[in-house]
Amino acid sequence: MHEIDRRDFLKLAGLGGAVFASGLAGCSAMGSKAAQEDFYFVQLSDTHWGFNGPVVNPDAKGTLPKAVAAVNSLDRQPDFIVFTGDLTHTTDDPQERRRRLAEFKQIVGALKNPNVRFMPGEHDASLDRGQAWSEFFGETHYSFDHKGVHFVTVDNVSDPAARIGEAQLAWLKADLDRQDKDARIVVFTHRPLFDLYPQWDWATRDGASAVELLMPYRNVTVFYGHIHQEHHHMTGHIAHHSAKSLIFPLPAPGSVPKREPIRWNPAEPYRGLGFREVDAELQQAQYSITEFPIKGA
Amino acid sequence: MNPKRRRLLAAGAVSAIAGASFAACVLAQTPEQVIHITARKFAFLPGEITLKQGVPVVLEFVTADVVMGFSAPDFKARADIIPGQVARVRLVPQQIGSFDFVCDIFCGDGHEGMSGKIHVVA
């Protein structure tokens, strides 16, 4: 992360904690000079718009707008912004689901940078297999290229059983087949692709199949959400980084008897919440991740 | 082989067969324990079960409303629980302790609290 950006984030967020993770090892297939340009994107996750639980987050309606304002206030805007799922909090009422999706879309429509990528979480998509979500945001899995990096979104939530499914795995294979083995590949997904803690349903049923497809590629990094906290894990040479939430933090895997949101602490409001900047330092073949909490206005 | 030794061997064989038959008879008379569990929005009833180490048990699940899942990763056991059907999972608990199980099919607002404990005692 460039110093000027870090200062900006520190100023906006009030606090800052940095994690630098080497996500790419080796980078022998450099493209054109333009394609090698360093850039950064912002990852926001698990905003759970519509959640109501004052004990957990008394500012449930204010946290997302604060994050939008913080991103907008950056002097240097990110190349793009990605939301890695659970845009809305689940509801059994299809109409209410659409109302929450519409409100979420309106709020993030205030982002200064219009280049925003979305993907669903199980709260958005698992009760109707992504139907309502797709009405607002389109395909639940897709790929795109940006400045020499191939980005792939993997949907492991539209199936309520948390499977990617054979059809999408075939699509993923075909997509990857078009990439060089040295290509720089970033995967966005919601649930962890590995068995982080299946005792709390922190896994993807057939995630190992996706990891197997990715394994031949030497420069792969996965960014995901779902677990409402930072977590860093390697499966072989593939790095997996989970993001904080923007509604409530969850305890570390297996650290307490029951998985329940961590209660709001008035002495430390917004503790455990935040978003991250990911700086693609392509010349160094590294991604630097910096985590920033949310602070009240 | 002398006649006495032959008689002893024969008697031993009969005893072994008899022993096996007795064991089979005992097994047939003591079927595995069956625990009935109902999955409903958003709880397993009962939510805590206690098993004896090394003693096989069959968990039988029904759902009161929608499709649910049972997953106990520490036992490598899972099942889909389909409305109108009985799902069965056989366990032979080997380790003493308390282990989580969860619903692993997203079933609605409250799904994430749908979990339980298996306690294994000596």
Side-chain angles (χ1 to χ4, degrees), chain A residues 207-220:
Chain A
S209 298
V211 171
E212 186 181 338
L213 290 174
L214 292 163
M215 202 54 81
Y217 298 87
R218 287 182 271 277
N219 304 311
V220 180

Side-chain angles (χ1 to χ4, degrees), chain A residues 48 86 89-92 122-123 126-127 160-163 191 197-201 205 226 257-259, chain B residues 41-42 71 73-74 78 80 100-117:
Chain A
H48 286 257
D86 281 356
H89 195 73
T90 197
T91 166
D92 294 346
E122 79 279 8
H123 277 253
S126 282
L127 291 183
R163 283 180 293 231
R191 290 169 166 269
Y197 199 66
Q199 292 87 342
W200 286 0
D201 201 23
R205 189 90 66 89
H226 189 55
K258 201 170 170 65
R259 175 197 56 189
Chain B
K41 289 184 174 181
F42 295 97
S71 175
D74 294 294
R78 80 157 309 282
D80 291 336
D100 292 313
F101 64 87
V102 292
C103 173
D104 68 350
I105 295 181
F106 196 88
C107 56
D109 187 4
H111 159 79
E112 283 158 332
M114 192 169 166
S115 61
K117 292 273 187 194

Side-chain angles (χ1 to χ4, degrees), chain A:
Chain A
M1 181 178 190
H2 300 299
E3 283 302 312
I4 186 167
D5 297 328
R6 181 177 298 166
R7 282 197 301 273
D8 285 344
F9 264 109
L10 289 169
K11 182 179 67 181
L12 288 163
L15 296 168
V19 173
F20 295 94
S22 174
L24 297 177
C27 191
S28 59
M30 288 296 184
S32 67
K33 188 176 179 183
Q36 296 172 30
E37 185 184 342
D38 290 357
F39 65 93
Y40 85 95
F41 63 88
V42 166
Q43 180 190 8
L44 303 98
S45 200
D46 296 87
T47 52
H48 286 257
W49 184 255
F51 173 81
N52 181 22
V55 172
V56 171
N57 187 340
D59 188 31
K61 290 188 182 301
T63 308
L64 176 59
K66 284 184 175 67
V68 169
V71 174
N72 280 345
S73 300
L74 293 169
D75 283 344
R76 184 167 77 93
Q77 283 292 292
D79 277 27
F80 65 89
I81 297 150
V82 62
F83 286 85
T84 46
D86 281 356
L87 317 180
T88 60
H89 195 73
T90 197
T91 166
D92 294 346
D93 178 352
Q95 282 190 318
E96 174 64 12
R97 185 175 307 125
R98 285 169 173 80
R99 192 181 67 79
R100 292 180 186 184
L101 286 163
E103 286 180 359
F104 171 88
K105 192 170 185 178
Q106 183 181 20
I107 292 164
V108 304
L111 282 163
K112 196 185 290 183
N113 184 341
N115 191 3
V116 186
R117 305 281 179 169
F118 299 97
M119 57 183 313
E122 79 279 8
H123 277 253
D124 305 303
S126 282
L127 291 183
D128 65 0
R129 293 187 176 268
Q131 186 180 329
W133 190 93
S134 294
E135 289 169 16
F136 287 85
F137 299 106
E139 293 292 324
T140 60
H141 65 274
Y142 54 89
S143 64
F144 61 98
D145 295 292
H146 186 80
K147 293 183 178 176
V149 178
H150 186 63
F151 291 88
V152 187
T153 66
V154 173
D155 172 7
N156 50 11
V157 296
S158 290
D159 180 341
R163 283 180 293 231
I164 300 165
E166 289 300 320
Q168 190 184 175
L169 286 167
W171 168 83
L172 177 62
K173 182 180 184 310
D175 184 85
L176 293 173
D177 280 347
R178 293 190 287 272
Q179 301 298 316
D180 190 275
K181 293 295 185 290
D182 285 322
R184 295 177 289 275
I185 296 170
V186 168
V187 176
F188 294 131
T189 191
H190 183 67
R191 290 169 166 269
L193 292 178
F194 61 97
D195 281 352
L196 170 56
Y197 199 66
Q199 292 87 342
W200 286 0
D201 201 23
W202 287 357
T204 298
R205 189 90 66 89
D206 53 0
S209 298
V211 171
E212 186 181 338
L213 290 174
L214 292 163
M215 202 54 81
Y217 298 87
R218 287 182 271 277
N219 304 311
V220 180
T221 303
V222 181
F223 294 94
Y224 67 103
H226 189 55
I227 68 166
H228 294 216
Q229 64 195 283
E230 246 188 286
H231 189 275
H232 308 281
H233 177 81
M234 301 293 292
T235 53
H237 62 283
I238 300 175
H240 304 254
H241 306 292
S242 66
K244 290 175 181 171
S245 161
L246 283 164
I247 194 69
F248 55 76
L250 286 167
S255 61
V256 293
K258 201 170 170 65
R259 175 197 56 189
E260 289 178 333
I262 295 173
R263 289 188 168 212
W264 181 270
N265 180 356
E268 297 180 277
Y270 308 98
R271 180 180 167 83
L273 308 183
F275 57 94
R276 68 168 35 144
E277 172 189 302
V278 180
D279 194 350
E281 298 169 350
L282 300 182
Q283 298 289 357
Q284 299 171 32
Q286 283 191 338
Y287 292 120
S288 299
I289 302 173
T290 306
E291 307 285 348
F292 295 97
I294 294 295
K295 188 179 180 185

